[in-house]
Amino acid sequence: MPDPLADVRKWADQPVTETLIKGGLSHRISRLTTADGRRWLLRVLDPRVSEAGLGIPLDQEIANTVHAADAGVGPRVLHRLPGALVLEYLDGVTLDAHTVRTIPGPIAAACRRLHAGPRFVNDFSIFRKLDEFLALCRTHELGTPDGYEDRLPAAAEIERALAADPLPTVPCHNDLLPENFIRCGTEVRIVDYQLSGNNDPAFELGDIAAEADYDPDLTVRLARAYFGTDDRRLTARVRLNLIMSNLTWTLWFAVHHGLLKERAADADFDYEAEAADKFSQAVRDLDDPGFGRLVDDVRGASPGSPHPPHHHARRLE
């Protein structure tokens, strides 16, 4: 593979130094400093990640990164290289789970900016991603947490409930762990479009809530900040997507650990432990006595009703 740093130096026409940024679980991320003092971010995309189903194809990720920049929420794309991007360096603070729990309003505002921007070049479904990961685990005999397949009927029930009255899809990030938020002054920006695609906006919110350990009350606050209403059906939709986030990303870590062992070892990260933790959170919510109420709320049904009334898909204003 060509040396992207050499290509950057040729493009910049001056010396460029590279400082590796730790924390990326899939790709090589570096801060670049030019001889004249400018700072950029270099994102080198490992093709093995998308080949293993752990990210979208590289050309789609690059295209979506450009669209997110056009929406004013992603970093500007300064230069494209084969399999790599030189991005605007966002001079801000990388958020952690605690901070994401304290600012649901700005987080929701960042999502609304992304979702109102240009549509992405691909679609994304958390349910089809689960199917894809499950097929990989079965084909390659990868380990999954005990009892995982026993929970698949519940995932199918969630999909049926959400499909009864779908929201229009919007360009979503789909992997909003706290570290993908950068606070720049009063604004929150979003980075890393490895799993991006047009999707149900309620998944975006549920995924944020899952990754930052939101409790039900805080999840309601996030949904209210995003949708601008206290609609119980929308809140239930977000909470069901929180469960799907934990259930599906359990397998992301299982597949990464099983198919990219060398990269997993280099990352100094316990993928098996993370898979077990996400699955335990999904089980907690699936076994909660309120789970059935969430399904009924999303379908607009009375508790236990087999025939929910039909509603037209809402438009996000």
Side-chain angles (χ1 to χ4, degrees):
M1 180 178 177
D3 179 10
L5 191 57
D7 287 343
V8 170
R9 287 174 176 143
K10 182 178 179 181
W11 166 70
D13 194 26
Q14 62 178 299
V16 176
T17 58
E18 178 184 28
T19 304
L20 190 65
I21 297 177
K22 293 184 178 181
L25 299 181
S26 298
H27 299 303
R28 170 180 148 198
I29 312 296
S30 305
R31 183 176 66 247
L32 304 180
T33 305
T34 65
D36 60 8
R38 285 176 291 172
R39 288 186 297 174
W40 301 322
L41 193 82
L42 176 64
R43 183 171 171 83
V44 181
L45 308 176
D46 187 338
R48 295 176 297 173
V49 173
S50 59
E51 289 166 3
L54 299 166
I56 60 177
L58 301 188
D59 60 335
Q60 293 182 2
E61 179 176 346
I62 291 171
N64 290 350
T65 301
V66 173
H67 287 325
D70 291 342
V73 69
R76 288 181 295 116
V77 177
L78 305 177
H79 186 54
R80 291 186 237 184
L81 302 163
L85 291 170
V86 178
L87 301 168
E88 170 191 12
Y89 184 81
L90 297 179
D91 194 6
V93 177
T94 300
L95 301 189
D96 57 18
H98 169 74
T99 306
V100 172
R101 288 194 295 270
T102 63
I103 56 169
I107 293 294
C111 291
R112 287 185 67 88
R113 287 200 309 278
L114 177 65
H115 296 173
R119 286 186 68 81
F120 287 156
V121 298
N122 63 299
D123 295 326
F124 180 94
S125 162
I126 196 64
F127 300 99
R128 303 292 74 76
K129 183 55 69 173
L130 188 153
D131 292 342
E132 181 183 336
F133 285 153
L134 197 59
L136 286 169
C137 288
R138 289 168 174 166
T139 298
H140 297 280
E141 299 182 343
L142 306 180
T144 58
D146 290 343
Y148 187 90
E149 297 211 17
D150 296 338
R151 302 294 174 164
L152 296 179
E157 182 179 13
I158 292 172
E159 181 174 14
R160 287 192 297 271
L162 296 178
D165 186 16
L167 293 179
T169 63
V170 294
C172 287
H173 184 283
N174 300 315
D175 188 29
L176 281 175
L177 58 156
E179 293 79 7
N180 284 335
F181 289 111
I182 310 291
R183 183 157 58 182
C184 302
T186 60
E187 232 180 24
V188 174
R189 307 282 293 276
I190 298 173
V191 300
D192 182 359
Y193 291 84
Q194 178 180 325
L195 285 158
S196 56
N198 304 309
N199 193 12
D200 182 342
F203 176 75
E204 193 91 288
L205 304 180
D207 186 59
I208 293 167
E211 296 290 358
D213 296 324
Y214 277 32
D215 63 24
D217 288 342
L218 189 53
T219 304
V220 170
R221 287 177 57 196
L222 179 67
R224 182 191 304 135
Y226 179 88
F227 290 110
T229 178
D230 277 321
D231 189 323
R232 191 169 67 181
R233 295 184 67 193
L234 292 173
T235 299
R237 190 177 194 91
V238 172
R239 291 183 63 188
L240 290 179
N241 273 295
L242 183 160
I243 296 172
M244 287 308 305
S245 170
N246 281 326
L247 200 59
T248 304
W249 298 146
T250 292
L251 296 187
W252 188 97
F253 287 99
V255 170
H256 201 298
H257 176 76
L259 297 186
L260 298 180
K261 292 182 181 294
E262 180 183 339
R263 176 166 280 282
D266 291 343
D268 190 27
F269 183 86
D270 193 334
Y271 289 79
E272 284 185 298
E274 188 68 16
D277 180 60
K278 286 194 173 298
F279 183 57
S280 69
Q281 293 182 55
V283 168
R284 173 201 65 197
D285 293 335
L286 288 170
D287 287 345
D288 188 281
F291 171 69
R293 175 72 261 182
L294 293 177
V295 171
D296 286 333
D297 282 347
V298 163
R299 291 160 55 200
S302 301
S305 170
H307 301 295
H310 175 73
H311 296 267
H312 294 292
R314 298 174 188 81
R315 293 288 172 191
L316 299 182
E317 300 299 333

